[in-house]
Amino acid sequence: MTGAFRPEPRAARASGASRAPRRRAAVAVLGAALAVVALASGCGIRTTSVPVDAGAAPSRVPCKLPSADVTTRSPDSVAAPVYLVCASQLVTVDRPVPADASGSGALGAARALLDQVRQAPPESERRAGFSTAVPAELRVEPSRAGDPAGTLRLSSQPEDLSEEALAQLVCTYAENEALVTKGSVVLGGPGEYPPRGYLCTSQTKARPQDGTTPDILDPD
């Protein structure tokens, strides 16, 4: 009869029933994806569908001079190791000192090395990360009567210098045999305090800013 209700074939009913769970699963997946996007937006993360070039990673300070940048020296000078600060450590660079500095006694060698360690690093050294904490006005004077052998008197009390400046000076002087007495560098100041012996240790070089270095000895 025309217009009469015709029951849907069983196969069609089964197909519709099987599609319903799949639709619900698709809706659940879509909802989860939207939640992730919303969470990323809330955290300030900008989503993108293409790779992003964030640029090169920041380079580390080399603390090493290219051979082309090593300071040239004149025929009447010799290369001497001087300790500078680089990456919070003490690192040596070779600086030219007068060839006759070592032959002029301990005071002459001490003054020549101080001239170099207090000098502002040239551009090549600054590019490599080097700096100095030794004051430009610091001076070194002869010992006084009654001072222990090998004493060097500074224009400032050693303990009034910053930890890094004192470590730089002690380690620089420790590289010169003429400035070492019984394994230590003996320094005093302009005051009446007795001179003291300072050691340059591996810890001094690794962490000069700690304040626990250099180790202090009382010379005989």
Side-chain angles (χ1 to χ4, degrees):
M1 180 171 60
T2 304
F5 171 77
R6 294 181 181 180
E8 186 179 14
R10 182 178 300 173
R13 291 199 303 272
S15 175
S18 63
R19 286 197 298 270
R22 288 200 296 271
R23 285 196 298 270
R24 287 195 295 270
V27 170
V29 171
L30 179 60
L34 292 175
V36 170
V37 172
L39 180 60
S41 299
C43 294
I45 301 174
R46 186 176 180 180
T47 58
T48 178
S49 59
V50 296
V52 175
D53 183 5
S59 60
R60 294 183 178 180
V61 175
C63 294
K64 185 176 181 181
L65 293 173
S67 56
D69 287 338
V70 175
T71 303
T72 57
R73 54 186 177 86
S74 62
D76 58 346
S77 66
V78 294
V82 168
Y83 280 89
L84 299 179
V85 180
C86 190
S88 299
Q89 302 177 60
L90 294 188
V91 183
T92 57
V93 298
D94 285 338
R95 289 280 184 83
V97 298
D100 59 353
S102 58
S104 59
L107 183 60
R111 284 175 170 169
L113 290 171
L114 177 58
D115 283 345
Q116 293 299 323
V117 78
R118 71 186 177 186
Q119 177 182 306
E123 184 180 355
S124 59
E125 292 178 358
R126 291 198 303 271
R127 286 200 307 265
F130 290 97
S131 64
T132 184
V134 177
E137 67 276 6
L138 188 66
R139 301 289 184 270
V140 60
E141 303 297 339
S143 60
R144 300 175 184 170
D147 282 346
T151 295
L152 297 169
R153 288 275 181 176
L154 304 178
S155 58
S156 296
Q157 285 297 129
E159 58 270 20
D160 289 341
L161 298 174
S162 70
E163 288 85 358
E164 290 178 329
L166 182 56
Q168 278 185 257
L169 192 59
V170 168
C171 287
T172 297
Y173 282 172
E175 294 286 339
N176 190 304
E177 293 182 0
L179 305 180
V180 178
T181 302
K182 296 181 180 180
S184 66
V185 176
V186 185
L187 299 176
E192 298 303 321
Y193 300 102
R196 308 184 76 174
Y198 295 82
L199 291 176
C200 176
T201 66
S202 58
Q203 186 178 0
T204 308
K205 299 173 186 177
R207 299 190 62 82
Q209 69 283 356
D210 271 0
T212 58
T213 55
D215 296 326
I216 301 176
L217 302 176
D218 289 318
D220 296 335

